[in-house]
Amino acid sequence: RDASDSSSSKLMEEWVSVSFAQDQDGRSFRQTRRWSAMPKEEEAKPPPTLLERIEQNDPTLKELAGFGGYGYHRIATALRKNATITSFKLSNCQLGGDRDEGCIYLMQALIARRSNLKRVSLARNFIGFNGAAAVANFIRASQDDPSIYHSIRLDLLQNCFEDEGARVIADAITDGTLQDKAQTIVDIGLEKNRIGNEGLLYISNMLHENNTLHTLRLGKNDISYEGVMKSLVPVLKQNTTLRVLDLSGNRHIGDLGAAALAGVLSFNQTLETMILTKCSISEEGAKRLLQALYNYTSPSAVLEQSNHTLRELIVCQNPILSTSFVGHTTFLRDAIHWNQQGIASSRIYKLNSFLMSIHGPRFVHSTNVPIELIPKLVHKIWRIDKSIDAVYSYIRGMPEILEI
């Protein structure tokens, strides 16, 4: 039974024992014994360790960020049976060195677990060629089963892949394409991997075959204008899936590389972001980029030869801010802003700016052009360009005119 202790607010447990015994004369009597004790407090269970959560498929564990003090052997072994983690952020986990054994163990575990994942980050592990080969094996395995693996983001920043590492990774992506397998990699980051023009050639060949990769990050490598002109530019003119291209920190791209990339923008209508920070681009290269976005030589050039899809062009920390280029920076900023409004609006805004620069009055106020202004506007275009094709190009660029 439970009895309340007068000197304590805690409940005490009391036991009673009754027994019968005989005295020396043979008479029976009853013996009663009582004793009590404070109840033992239940010890709080310690929270499960990271290893236990992985092994027990903790449904709340969606992201693995580090090894929690365990070695990669134990974590990799536990991961083979895990099906809940979809994101692996394993930066600075010392997976490189010793023939990249840590990276190899981890990639083998990811292949064996056969469970969906969205992101794998192995940044800043200084992984070499052996690790790059292990990543390539994982890419090939992911292409074998599209029902499990799809839309994977690979962050391989600041490793030691160099050109040969870039080759095996690019080949793995290309092999899946040529064999009609699922293309699962949509975003790959290879910044700070000592990749040169040879490695860029392998990556460009992969882009030629691939139709799912939408983000390619190659910042702070050893890529020069020769690699950009010979390998990357011809592919970008035909590619229709890449949305983001980061070449920042490749200091040997310069004006020649910028001019080559500007030439791409006249053909490529799907690229939305280009990052050229710290690429040694001067005023000449910046002017070429501006002309690609806003070719103001004629109305037909404004409509047909300008790029209307690039929404972000980052060229900061380049030596382009000369006194003579100050006016052009405004045009560059405006051209990007117009592109952000959509293709039809961009064409109208740019043509309007062109006509204003020549005649002063604003003829086009918005996408809704008053019908009474159309004859005057078309006549102005014809007087400038002297070509009926320019008029048709303008009308094609403004479908609302055809609807009036």
Coordinates of all heavy atoms in Angstrom, one line a residue, residues 312-351:
E312 N 20.0 37.4 -65.4 CA 21.0 37.8 -64.4 C 22.4 37.6 -65.0 O 22.8 36.5 -65.5 CB 20.9 36.9 -63.1 CG 21.8 37.4 -62.0 CD 21.5 36.6 -60.7 OE1 21.0 35.5 -60.7 OE2 21.9 37.1 -59.6
L313 N 23.1 38.7 -65.1 CA 24.5 38.7 -65.5 C 25.3 39.4 -64.5 O 25.2 40.6 -64.2 CB 24.6 39.5 -66.9 CG 26.0 39.7 -67.4 CD1 26.6 38.3 -67.7 CD2 26.0 40.5 -68.7
I314 N 26.2 38.6 -63.8 CA 27.0 39.1 -62.7 C 28.4 39.3 -63.2 O 29.1 38.3 -63.6 CB 27.0 38.2 -61.5 CG1 25.5 37.9 -61.1 CG2 27.8 38.7 -60.4 CD1 25.4 36.9 -60.0
V315 N 28.9 40.6 -63.3 CA 30.2 40.9 -63.8 C 31.0 41.7 -62.8 O 31.9 42.5 -63.2 CB 30.1 41.6 -65.2 CG1 29.7 40.6 -66.3 CG2 29.2 42.8 -65.1
C316 N 30.6 41.7 -61.6 CA 31.3 42.5 -60.6 C 32.7 42.1 -60.4 O 33.1 41.0 -60.7 CB 30.5 42.5 -59.3 SG 30.3 40.9 -58.6
Q317 N 33.5 42.9 -59.8 CA 34.9 42.7 -59.5 C 35.7 42.4 -60.8 O 36.6 41.5 -60.8 CB 35.1 41.6 -58.5 CG 34.4 41.8 -57.1 CD 34.6 40.8 -56.1 OE1 35.8 40.4 -55.9 NE2 33.6 40.3 -55.5
N318 N 35.4 43.1 -61.8 CA 36.2 43.1 -63.1 C 36.6 44.6 -63.4 O 35.9 45.5 -63.0 CB 35.3 42.6 -64.2 CG 35.2 41.1 -64.2 OD1 36.2 40.4 -64.4 ND2 34.0 40.6 -64.0
P319 N 37.7 44.7 -64.1 CA 38.2 46.1 -64.3 C 37.4 46.8 -65.5 O 38.0 47.2 -66.5 CB 39.6 45.9 -64.7 CG 39.7 44.5 -65.3 CD 38.6 43.7 -64.6
I320 N 36.1 47.0 -65.3 CA 35.3 47.6 -66.4 C 34.8 49.0 -66.1 O 34.2 49.6 -67.0 CB 34.1 46.6 -66.8 CG1 33.2 46.5 -65.6 CG2 34.6 45.3 -67.3 CD1 31.9 45.7 -65.9
L321 N 35.0 49.4 -64.9 CA 34.3 50.7 -64.5 C 35.2 51.9 -64.9 O 35.6 52.7 -64.1 CB 34.1 50.7 -63.0 CG 33.1 49.6 -62.5 CD1 32.9 49.7 -61.0 CD2 31.7 49.8 -63.2
S322 N 35.4 52.1 -66.2 CA 36.1 53.3 -66.7 C 35.1 54.4 -66.9 O 33.9 54.2 -66.9 CB 36.8 53.0 -68.0 OG 35.8 52.6 -69.0
T323 N 35.6 55.6 -67.0 CA 34.7 56.8 -67.1 C 33.8 56.7 -68.4 O 32.6 57.0 -68.3 CB 35.5 58.1 -67.2 OG1 36.4 58.1 -66.0 CG2 34.6 59.3 -67.2
S324 N 34.4 56.2 -69.4 CA 33.6 56.1 -70.7 C 32.6 55.0 -70.7 O 31.7 55.0 -71.5 CB 34.6 55.8 -71.9 OG 35.3 54.6 -71.7
F325 N 32.6 54.1 -69.7 CA 31.7 53.0 -69.7 C 30.5 53.2 -68.7 O 29.6 52.4 -68.6 CB 32.4 51.7 -69.3 CG 31.6 50.4 -69.6 CD1 31.3 50.0 -70.9 CD2 31.0 49.7 -68.5 CE1 30.5 48.9 -71.1 CE2 30.2 48.6 -68.8 CZ 30.0 48.2 -70.1
V326 N 30.6 54.3 -68.0 CA 29.5 54.6 -67.0 C 28.1 54.6 -67.7 O 27.2 54.0 -67.1 CB 29.8 55.9 -66.3 CG1 28.6 56.3 -65.4 CG2 31.1 55.8 -65.5
G327 N 28.0 55.2 -68.8 CA 26.7 55.3 -69.5 C 26.2 53.9 -69.9 O 25.0 53.6 -69.9
H328 N 27.2 53.0 -70.3 CA 26.8 51.7 -70.7 C 26.3 50.8 -69.6 O 25.6 49.9 -69.8 CB 28.0 51.0 -71.4 CG 28.4 51.7 -72.7 ND1 29.2 52.8 -72.8 CD2 28.1 51.4 -74.0 CE1 29.4 53.1 -74.1 NE2 28.7 52.3 -74.8
T329 N 26.8 51.1 -68.4 CA 26.4 50.3 -67.2 C 24.9 50.4 -67.0 O 24.2 49.5 -66.6 CB 27.1 50.6 -66.0 OG1 27.0 52.0 -65.7 CG2 28.6 50.3 -66.1
T330 N 24.4 51.6 -67.3 CA 22.9 51.8 -67.1 C 22.2 51.0 -68.2 O 21.2 50.4 -67.8 CB 22.6 53.3 -67.3 OG1 23.3 54.1 -66.4 CG2 21.1 53.6 -67.2
F331 N 22.6 51.0 -69.4 CA 22.0 50.1 -70.4 C 22.1 48.7 -70.0 O 21.1 47.9 -70.2 CB 22.7 50.4 -71.8 CG 22.2 51.6 -72.5 CD1 23.1 52.6 -72.8 CD2 20.9 51.8 -72.8 CE1 22.7 53.7 -73.5 CE2 20.5 53.0 -73.4 CZ 21.4 53.9 -73.8
L332 N 23.2 48.2 -69.5 CA 23.4 46.9 -69.1 C 22.4 46.5 -68.0 O 21.7 45.4 -68.1 CB 24.8 46.6 -68.6 CG 25.2 45.2 -68.4 CD1 25.1 44.4 -69.7 CD2 26.7 45.1 -67.8
R333 N 22.3 47.4 -67.0 CA 21.3 47.1 -65.9 C 19.9 47.1 -66.5 O 19.1 46.3 -66.1 CB 21.5 48.2 -64.9 CG 20.6 48.0 -63.6 CD 20.8 49.1 -62.6 NE 20.3 50.4 -63.1 CZ 21.1 51.4 -63.4 NH1 22.4 51.2 -63.2 NH2 20.6 52.5 -63.9
D334 N 19.6 48.1 -67.3 CA 18.2 48.1 -67.9 C 17.9 46.9 -68.7 O 16.8 46.4 -68.7 CB 18.1 49.4 -68.7 CG 18.0 50.7 -67.9 OD1 17.8 50.5 -66.7 OD2 18.2 51.7 -68.5
A335 N 18.9 46.5 -69.5 CA 18.6 45.3 -70.4 C 18.3 44.0 -69.6 O 17.4 43.3 -69.9 CB 19.8 45.0 -71.3
I336 N 19.0 43.9 -68.5 CA 18.7 42.7 -67.6 C 17.3 42.9 -67.0 O 16.5 41.9 -66.9 CB 19.8 42.6 -66.5 CG1 21.1 42.1 -67.1 CG2 19.4 41.6 -65.4 CD1 21.1 40.7 -67.7
H337 N 17.0 44.1 -66.5 CA 15.7 44.4 -65.9 C 14.6 44.1 -66.9 O 13.6 43.5 -66.6 CB 15.7 45.8 -65.4 CG 14.3 46.2 -64.9 ND1 13.8 45.7 -63.7 CD2 13.4 47.0 -65.4 CE1 12.6 46.2 -63.5 NE2 12.3 47.0 -64.5
W338 N 14.8 44.5 -68.2 CA 13.7 44.3 -69.2 C 13.6 42.8 -69.4 O 12.4 42.3 -69.6 CB 14.1 45.0 -70.5 CG 14.1 46.5 -70.3 CD1 13.3 47.2 -69.5 CD2 14.9 47.4 -71.1 NE1 13.6 48.6 -69.7 CE2 14.6 48.7 -70.6 CE3 15.9 47.3 -72.1 CZ2 15.2 49.9 -71.1 CZ3 16.5 48.4 -72.6 CH2 16.1 49.7 -72.1
N339 N 14.7 42.0 -69.4 CA 14.6 40.6 -69.7 C 13.8 39.9 -68.5 O 13.1 38.9 -68.8 CB 16.0 40.0 -69.8 CG 16.6 40.2 -71.1 OD1 16.1 40.9 -72.0 ND2 17.8 39.6 -71.3
Q340 N 13.9 40.4 -67.3 CA 13.2 39.9 -66.2 C 11.7 40.0 -66.3 O 11.0 39.3 -65.6 CB 13.7 40.5 -64.9 CG 15.2 40.1 -64.6 CD 15.7 40.9 -63.4 OE1 15.1 41.9 -62.9 NE2 16.9 40.6 -63.0
Q341 N 11.2 40.9 -67.2 CA 9.8 41.1 -67.4 C 9.2 40.1 -68.3 O 8.0 40.1 -68.5 CB 9.5 42.5 -67.9 CG 10.3 43.6 -67.1 CD 10.0 43.5 -65.6 OE1 8.9 43.4 -65.1 NE2 11.1 43.6 -64.8
G342 N 10.0 39.3 -69.0 CA 9.4 38.3 -69.9 C 9.9 38.7 -71.4 O 10.2 39.9 -71.6
I343 N 9.8 37.8 -72.3 CA 10.4 38.0 -73.6 C 9.6 39.1 -74.4 O 10.2 40.0 -74.9 CB 10.3 36.7 -74.4 CG1 11.3 35.6 -73.8 CG2 10.7 36.9 -75.9 CD1 11.2 34.3 -74.4
A344 N 8.3 39.0 -74.4 CA 7.5 40.0 -75.1 C 7.7 41.4 -74.6 O 7.9 42.3 -75.3 CB 6.0 39.6 -75.0
S345 N 7.7 41.5 -73.2 CA 7.9 42.9 -72.7 C 9.3 43.3 -72.9 O 9.5 44.5 -73.2 CB 7.6 42.8 -71.2 OG 6.3 42.5 -70.9
S346 N 10.3 42.4 -72.9 CA 11.7 42.8 -73.1 C 11.8 43.4 -74.5 O 12.5 44.4 -74.7 CB 12.6 41.6 -72.9 OG 13.9 41.9 -73.3
R347 N 11.2 42.8 -75.5 CA 11.3 43.2 -76.9 C 10.7 44.6 -77.0 O 11.3 45.5 -77.7 CB 10.7 42.3 -77.8 CG 11.4 40.9 -77.9 CD 10.5 39.8 -78.4 NE 10.1 40.1 -79.8 CZ 10.8 39.5 -80.9 NH1 11.8 38.7 -80.6 NH2 10.4 39.8 -82.1
I348 N 9.6 44.9 -76.3 CA 8.9 46.1 -76.4 C 9.8 47.2 -75.8 O 10.0 48.3 -76.3 CB 7.5 46.1 -75.8 CG1 6.7 45.1 -76.7 CG2 6.9 47.4 -75.7 CD1 5.3 44.8 -76.1
Y349 N 10.2 46.9 -74.6 CA 11.0 48.0 -73.8 C 12.3 48.3 -74.6 O 12.7 49.5 -74.6 CB 11.4 47.4 -72.4 CG 10.2 47.4 -71.5 CD1 10.0 46.2 -70.7 CD2 9.3 48.4 -71.4 CE1 8.9 46.1 -69.8 CE2 8.2 48.3 -70.5 CZ 8.1 47.2 -69.7 OH 7.0 47.1 -68.8
K350 N 13.0 47.3 -75.1 CA 14.2 47.6 -75.9 C 13.9 48.4 -77.1 O 14.7 49.4 -77.4 CB 14.9 46.3 -76.2 CG 15.5 45.6 -74.9 CD 16.1 44.3 -75.3 CE 16.6 43.6 -74.0 NZ 17.1 42.2 -74.3
L351 N 12.9 48.1 -77.9 CA 12.6 48.8 -79.1 C 12.2 50.3 -78.7 O 12.5 51.2 -79.4 CB 11.5 48.2 -79.8 CG 11.1 48.8 -81.2 CD1 12.3 48.8 -82.1 CD2 9.9 48.1 -81.8

